[in-house]
Amino acid sequence: MDNKQYYVKLPVWKKCAFGSIDTANNFSWSYISSFLAIYLTDTFLIPASYVSIMFLVCRFWDAINDPIVGYLADRTRTRWGRYRPWIFFGTAPLFITTALLFWPHPDWALPTKMVYVCALYALVVLFYTMVNLTYGSLNAVVTQDPAERGSLASYRLLFAYIGSTAMTQLVVRAEPVLSSKNPGMGYFYLAVIFAVFCIPMQIFGAKVQKEVIPPSNTGVKMSIFRQLRLSFKNVPFMMVCIMFLAQGFSLYGVGAINTYWFKYVVGDTNPLATYSLITLVPSMLGCFTSQFWSNKLRNKGKAIGITYVAQAVFFTLQFFLFRNTVNIGVMYFLGIVVQYFAGANMSLIYGMVPDTIEYSELITKGERMDGFLNTLSSFWNKVGITIGTAGTVWILDLVGYVPNAADQPSNVILALDLMKWILPTIFCIIALVSLIWYKLDYANFDKLVATLNEQRPVWEAERKAAAGK
């Protein structure tokens, strides 16, 4: 058997179509991650402590539904494949519920507000799981070539950065204008506009992909709990999960705090839009060059380790530089540098997940768990997101945050600085340490694929012999 029969090379246009799915995703998920907290506290007028509780509850639900969707997706059999149907049928509900989540009713009683937001948020995260996690699983089945998988991850992150940046620009610049004409409605109007453009984009991006790696046909029935137990034996995968956990803590925790930091530390949210715009190019450059470095080193683990070291150094530097006054020009310059490494980091970590799936196939003796492992890695990412976003809002309430107050207490300013700069540093270090146990470099992966091709007939013979008994 050809050890590289599924090492498919994909044309650039198809990689762009693949990436466009994540462009659309960011007009929902990044929109929520970056602006929902401040929308709920400052527009919907829900106290920060209650917002923290809602985030904790709803995102806990978000985390636990991931493995369930992955388990079901792996068992989906249609003429469109296993994973694309979930994108086709989940896209419209995702953007409709996102828009409804930003539909403000500040005059409602607090219990009514809480029920409304929790119900809509729970639906949003379910539909997002259906769309985004099966999208992530596509990377593992459209090609087996680790370099092409890394390239797809680069395109995915490139287009994600484009979507996130465009979304931030539109929200920061257009929301005040829209709300000045219809108070409080700016976020809702933008969410509706996003839905009109993003639903067709996601469906087209999924439609042109082809799942070339067939599902397992071993006849083995594995429960979700057995798959969970087996995943803990997959050491490279567990290290990737730790990195996703750290990413959820740092990246999305900072994302939730960014608007607060610019509004109350800098005193103006306009630099946030400028910052996201000028850091787009280095983020894109990081995405594309990450594959060059991982190919050069023949090791994605070593390449991502460099990005963690660089980010930890620059985050710490900015904390000490901007404690008393924020020099916007210096912040822009350092942001450009650090975002290069952040872009490379994101691309590499998403490119590492598909490579661990073949390792799980070796453990299970022929049973692939593409969707389950992708969703399980996302589970740990969302655990980090849950604690990171809920925790940051809870900390603000704890230190005396006052919604819409121009002059915040000094404790609030210190907390914002620590959460923006020091927390990401800590989690970069945690992720860096986990790389000690990640051994799946290019050479070992090629050996793994060869071993799988040699062992599949043996495993099949063993199953037939066991069935004959």
Side-chain angles (χ1 to χ4, degrees):
M1 183 180 293
D2 181 4
N3 290 336
K4 297 186 177 182
Q5 62 176 322
Y6 296 127
Y7 278 43
V8 177
K9 301 296 182 182
L10 300 171
V12 171
W13 75 267
K14 190 169 283 191
K15 292 179 182 179
C16 290
F18 180 87
S20 71
I21 300 174
D22 224 13
T23 298
N25 278 335
N26 276 274
F27 279 91
S28 172
W29 192 246
S30 287
Y31 186 37
I32 290 170
S33 298
S34 298
F35 295 101
L36 183 60
I38 199 165
Y39 159 77
L40 292 176
T41 58
D42 293 16
T43 301
F44 217 153
L45 302 181
I46 299 177
S49 58
Y50 288 91
V51 172
S52 176
I53 293 170
M54 286 191 297
F55 279 0
L56 189 62
V57 172
C58 292
R59 286 188 167 166
F60 178 74
W61 155 244
D62 183 21
I64 64 174
N65 68 48
D66 284 1
I68 298 172
V69 170
Y71 179 82
L72 295 173
D74 280 339
R75 282 147 185 78
T76 300
R77 300 290 185 271
T78 73
R79 62 189 178 91
W80 300 296
R82 285 171 283 169
Y83 305 116
R84 293 190 301 159
W86 292 79
I87 301 174
F88 294 153
F89 295 107
T91 293
L94 169 63
F95 284 96
I96 291 170
T97 50
T98 299
L100 291 174
L101 183 60
F102 283 93
W103 186 19
H105 299 281
D107 53 329
W108 283 359
L110 181 58
T112 306
K113 293 179 183 178
M114 296 277 288
V115 171
Y116 178 83
V117 172
C118 279
L120 264 299
Y121 201 1
L123 288 173
V124 167
V125 298
L126 175 60
F127 293 130
Y128 182 76
T129 298
M130 292 169 60
V131 170
N132 191 61
L133 299 185
T134 51
Y135 164 55
S137 300
L138 280 176
N139 194 338
V141 296
V142 296
T143 180
Q144 198 174 42
D145 187 332
E148 282 294 279
R149 286 173 170 178
S151 179
L152 277 176
S154 296
Y155 275 87
R156 174 182 181 175
L157 269 296
L158 165 66
F159 279 81
Y161 276 120
I162 293 173
S164 179
T165 302
M167 179 276 299
T168 302
Q169 296 298 310
L170 287 168
V171 175
V172 173
R173 301 185 189 282
E175 190 278 330
V177 176
L178 293 171
S179 289
S180 67
K181 298 177 180 179
N182 295 279
M185 294 295 289
Y187 288 108
F188 174 70
Y189 292 153
L190 286 168
V192 172
I193 294 170
F194 296 163
V196 171
F197 286 96
C198 291
I199 292 173
M201 186 187 303
Q202 279 199 327
I203 292 175
F204 173 78
K207 186 177 184 299
V208 299
Q209 306 305 320
K210 182 180 180 181
E211 301 180 24
V212 298
I213 299 179
S216 302
N217 192 26
T218 63
V220 176
K221 302 293 183 182
M222 288 201 300
S223 70
I224 190 172
F225 299 104
R226 187 185 175 203
Q227 285 185 300
L228 185 61
R229 288 195 303 271
L230 289 171
S231 69
F232 282 97
K233 296 182 179 181
N234 188 334
V235 176
F237 174 72
M238 294 312 301
M239 296 308 102
V240 172
C241 286
I242 291 172
M243 286 183 269
F244 268 113
L245 179 67
Q247 182 193 70
F249 272 116
S250 58
L251 180 63
Y252 289 93
V254 171
I257 224 67
N258 257 342
T259 310
Y260 291 97
W261 190 83
F262 277 94
K263 183 175 181 179
Y264 297 113
V265 177
V266 178
D268 184 8
T269 57
N270 283 321
L272 173 58
T274 305
Y275 181 87
S276 67
L277 184 61
I278 66 173
T279 55
L280 174 62
V281 172
S283 298
M284 294 164 59
L285 187 61
C287 287
F288 270 109
T289 57
S290 67
Q291 193 55 39
F292 168 81
W293 292 116
S294 63
N295 288 344
K296 190 79 172 177
L297 297 169
R298 305 292 294 172
N299 191 323
K300 294 175 185 176
K302 287 183 179 179
I304 202 171
I306 294 170
T307 71
Y308 282 126
V309 171
Q311 288 180 90
V313 169
F314 283 107
F315 281 137
T316 304
L317 176 62
Q318 289 178 90
F319 173 76
F320 289 105
L321 282 177
F322 304 141
R323 272 298 296 127
N324 297 316
T325 53
V326 179
N327 185 309
I328 298 297
V330 174
M331 184 189 70
Y332 287 161
F333 173 76
L334 292 177
I336 289 171
V337 176
V338 79
Q339 280 303 121
Y340 168 79
F341 292 104
N345 177 275
M346 290 281 284
S347 176
L348 288 164
I349 193 172
Y350 279 101
M352 293 166 84
V353 176
D355 296 347
T356 66
I357 291 171
E358 275 75 20
Y359 197 91
S360 73
E361 189 177 351
L362 183 66
I363 294 170
T364 61
K365 295 187 175 182
E367 186 70 22
R368 291 183 66 86
M369 301 191 298
D370 308 72
F372 185 80
L373 292 184
N374 270 283
T375 51
L376 191 58
S377 65
S378 178
F379 166 84
W380 290 110
N381 185 231
K382 288 181 179 178
V383 169
I385 293 172
T386 299
I387 300 173
T389 53
T392 52
V393 179
W394 176 77
I395 289 170
L396 283 181
D397 184 70
L398 188 67
V399 297
Y401 169 71
V402 182
N404 297 309
D407 296 318
Q408 296 289 339
S410 59
N411 285 343
V412 173
I413 302 302
L414 176 60
L416 288 170
D417 281 336
L418 288 170
M419 288 187 286
K420 182 165 177 60
W421 306 120
I422 299 303
L423 277 181
T425 299
I426 293 171
F427 291 111
C428 281
I429 294 171
I430 292 171
L432 183 64
V433 171
S434 72
L435 287 168
I436 295 172
W437 295 275
Y438 185 86
K439 307 295 185 181
L440 204 55
D441 58 20
Y442 281 29
N444 285 330
F445 182 81
D446 287 343
K447 291 177 183 177
L448 174 61
V449 172
T451 300
L452 287 172
N453 287 332
E454 291 171 2
Q455 290 297 313
R456 285 189 187 110
V458 177
W459 295 331
E460 182 63 24
E462 290 175 352
R463 280 190 288 269
K464 288 180 178 178
K469 293 179 181 179

